[in-house]
Amino acid sequence: MTQRPILAIAYDFDGTLSPGSMQEHSFIPEIKESKEAFWERVNGEAARLKADNILIYMHEMVKAARKQGVRCRKEDIERHGARVGLFPGVAEGWFDRQRERGAAAGLEVQHFIISSGLKEMIAASAIGRHFTAIFASEFKYDANDVPEWAAAAVNYTNKTQFLFRINKGALDPGDHVAVNRYTPEDERPVPFRNMIYVGDGDTDVPCMRMVKEQGGVSIAVHPPADEALAAKTAQLKADRRVHFTAEADYCEGSALDAYMEAVIGKIAAVERLRALERG
């Protein structure tokens, strides 16, 4: 049986599938701090040390929990992940609907996350089971499952490496050989033309631009009824960094859903043409 071409849809998480940052939904309230104060401290410390914001926010999470006497083990981080809120329609059939559309058109749709947020929280969220792979920041834990170091930190400058991992089928972040091995374009499991990237802002620009320039499709979303962020995503389109912008409404029949349906149809048509041309 001939294997169906793979269509990969890669998503940012914070601000794309979920409103705000995942730490704001239950972790920051549990340490009895405002989100403004937490992020101001993170950004200030990163600026003072000229350090990576991702590494600093991970350290500040552990430090703040310890200071407030709040238990912070892997299971607690997963518990916070289960409480993360999502945009309309995300948990109500979005992922299955795109898979079904792809299957009907002769494609295998796979969903991926590329996020600066915490892998543990994303995996434990209501939608964690839908992803072929989650590329995100991650803690290293001691024998008691207490975070003791950052095992991985994903920032906007290194996000693009994961697009190449998807492209080459090298999904193990610890395998640096497979992702760097030369593989002819026509032998890669997911050509960039069969890739869709969905993000929301500045930290997604390198991925958006790369996917677009390599023949795939880039989409920028913004929270429903948020005029300021709508203007920001509109600028991304004006700057030709994305193909399409829409409210982060993942319900069936929304503008985003209609565009995704059309893109899946287009990619399926191109794959059918290529198959005919190969003979």
Side-chain angles (χ1 to χ4, degrees):
M1 185 175 180
T2 303
Q3 185 177 2
R4 292 178 296 171
I6 297 172
L7 188 167
I9 309 177
Y11 309 81
D12 176 45
F13 193 88
D14 292 342
T16 298
L17 298 175
S18 173
S21 298
M22 61 184 69
Q23 294 82 5
E24 298 169 4
H25 293 253
S26 68
F27 174 79
I28 292 177
E30 190 165 291
I31 61 172
K32 297 179 172 57
E33 187 170 16
S34 70
K35 62 181 182 181
E36 291 81 9
F38 179 82
W39 294 117
E40 182 178 351
R41 188 171 70 256
V42 167
N43 294 331
E45 190 73 351
R48 183 180 71 82
L49 297 172
K50 295 181 174 57
D52 189 304
N53 281 63
I54 309 306
L55 291 169
I56 295 298
Y57 96 63
M58 294 173 74
H59 179 243
E60 287 296 327
M61 284 181 69
V62 176
K63 191 168 73 172
R66 188 182 301 126
K67 181 179 178 181
Q68 294 297 324
V70 173
R71 205 179 82 145
C72 184
R73 294 185 180 181
K74 186 176 182 180
E75 64 183 270
D76 300 301
I77 294 171
E78 291 171 342
R79 171 171 53 84
H80 289 300
R83 296 178 179 177
V84 170
L86 301 163
F87 281 122
V90 171
E92 290 80 39
W94 168 266
F95 300 101
D96 287 334
R97 188 161 63 251
Q98 310 318 321
R99 273 193 288 265
E100 289 165 5
R101 284 171 174 165
L107 301 172
E108 179 185 340
V109 173
Q110 296 181 1
H111 301 283
F112 296 85
I113 289 287
I114 304 177
S115 170
S116 296
L118 289 175
K119 181 176 181 178
E120 300 92 321
M121 292 181 71
I122 297 168
S125 73
I127 57 173
R129 63 186 176 85
H130 288 289
F131 304 110
T132 298
I134 298 172
F135 302 113
S137 303
E138 188 174 4
F139 284 114
K140 175 183 180 295
Y141 297 90
D142 66 15
N144 296 312
D145 273 348
V146 176
E148 62 177 3
W149 202 258
V154 176
N155 59 38
Y156 75 98
T157 58
N158 66 19
K159 273 187 169 186
T160 55
Q161 70 163 293
F162 301 107
L163 296 173
F164 281 102
R165 288 193 174 280
I166 295 168
N167 170 239
K168 291 186 172 183
L171 302 184
D172 178 0
D175 185 347
H176 304 298
V177 175
V179 73
N180 289 309
R181 182 185 297 122
Y182 172 72
T183 308
E185 288 288 338
D186 58 359
E187 294 179 16
R188 298 183 183 188
V190 187
F192 281 102
R193 69 175 182 274
N194 288 6
M195 207 174 287
I196 302 170
Y197 187 84
V198 187
D200 69 289
D202 294 341
T203 59
D204 296 304
V205 167
C207 285
M208 290 171 168
R209 185 169 180 175
M210 181 178 162
V211 169
K212 185 174 184 290
E213 290 180 350
Q214 293 295 322
V217 174
S218 291
I219 301 170
V221 299
H222 56 84
D226 190 321
E227 293 184 6
L229 290 180
K232 194 169 185 178
T233 54
Q235 189 60 50
L236 290 173
K237 185 176 180 182
D239 293 340
R240 299 183 179 180
R241 292 176 169 181
V242 299
H243 293 90
F244 185 73
T245 68
E247 289 189 347
D249 179 352
Y250 294 79
C251 296
E252 187 169 8
S254 67
L256 179 60
D257 186 57
Y259 186 74
M260 189 65 72
E261 182 177 23
V263 171
I264 290 173
K266 176 185 176 181
I267 291 173
V270 169
E271 286 301 315
R272 286 196 297 274
L273 282 172
R274 291 177 68 89
L276 289 170
E277 289 164 0
R278 286 193 299 269

